[in-house]
């Protein structure tokens, strides 16, 4: 019978990138409804992991954290920063769409419609374009 002197090295989370681990932890906080800690965490993530390829996602979820707290102005700022700071990110259509939702929540239908039109025009083949188109139809019908 063979006995091992030392345990085999386990593949631990340390083999994962620290930014990815932190991002996953923050996303779990958000999903659990702890919006305050998620918001603080995503803000810290953006400061601490500036070069991370997860930064566009973190910026988006920071916006979602503000949106969830009905802090629409801050949410819009975060969504705008996704578009401005990470123009090639796949999160851009979602950010613009959610910016439209935030404007709707603030009863600013003109800016909301503008955001929805931007999604439809610039990202026509995305699921977000379909949602934006539906919202534009609802806005026209409610006039």
């Amino acid at each position: 019978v063979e006995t091992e002197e030392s345990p085999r090295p386990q593949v631990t989370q340390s083999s994962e990138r620290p930014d990815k681990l932190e991002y996953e932890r923050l996303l779990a906080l958000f999903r659990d409804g702890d919006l305050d800690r998620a918001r603080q965490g995503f803000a810290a993530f953006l400061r601490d992991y500036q070069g991370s390829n997860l930064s566009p996602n973190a910026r988006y979820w920071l916006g979602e954290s503000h949106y969830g707290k009905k802090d629409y102005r801050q949410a819009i700022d975060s969504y705008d920063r996704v578009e401005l700071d990470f123009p090639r990110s796949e999160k851009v259509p979602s950010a613009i769409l959610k910016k439209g939702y935030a404007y709707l929540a603030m009863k600013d239908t003109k800016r909301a419609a503008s955001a929805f039109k931007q999604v439809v025009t610039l990202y026509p083949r995305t699921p977000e374009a379909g949602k934006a188109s539906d919202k534009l139809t609802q806005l026209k019908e409610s006039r």
Side-chain angles (χ1 to χ4, degrees):
V1 177
E2 283 184 37
T3 60
E4 291 184 16
E5 294 292 318
S6 59
R8 264 187 287 155
Q10 291 182 314
V11 178
T12 62
Q13 290 184 333
S14 65
S15 64
E16 294 238 16
R17 298 186 342 246
D19 62 328
K20 187 170 186 341
L21 292 173
E22 179 62 4
Y23 174 80
E24 297 294 334
R25 185 184 75 78
L26 296 169
L27 208 49
L29 285 175
F30 178 86
R31 291 192 174 123
D32 290 344
D34 193 345
L35 299 180
D36 288 325
R37 285 180 53 213
R39 188 186 68 230
Q40 292 164 357
F42 283 122
F45 181 97
L46 289 162
R47 184 186 63 239
D48 297 342
Y49 299 104
Q50 289 179 1
S52 172
N53 64 342
L54 293 170
S55 291
N57 296 33
R59 176 65 67 188
Y60 174 82
W61 289 106
L62 177 60
E64 290 290 84
S65 300
H66 287 298
Y67 187 93
K69 298 291 285 182
K70 296 184 174 15
D71 188 353
Y72 300 120
R73 289 246 172 257
Q74 286 294 111
I76 289 166
D77 180 56
S78 280
Y79 297 139
D80 277 342
R81 294 276 307 271
V82 172
E83 186 183 4
L84 294 169
D85 296 348
F86 312 103
R88 291 185 189 83
S89 168
E90 83 270 351
K91 279 294 185 195
V92 171
S94 294
I96 299 169
L97 178 69
K98 288 304 296 257
K99 182 169 71 169
Y101 289 160
Y103 279 125
L104 266 188
M106 294 167 49
K107 310 277 189 261
D108 188 340
T109 54
K110 189 174 178 183
R111 283 193 174 129
S114 176
F116 296 142
K117 286 176 189 163
Q118 187 181 359
V119 176
V120 171
T121 304
L122 297 178
Y123 306 96
R125 291 181 187 85
T126 61
E128 292 84 0
K131 292 175 185 172
S133 182
D134 291 347
K135 282 293 179 188
L136 284 168
T137 302
Q138 288 173 14
L139 287 173
K140 284 178 190 159
E141 291 170 356
S142 67
R143 280 189 200 151

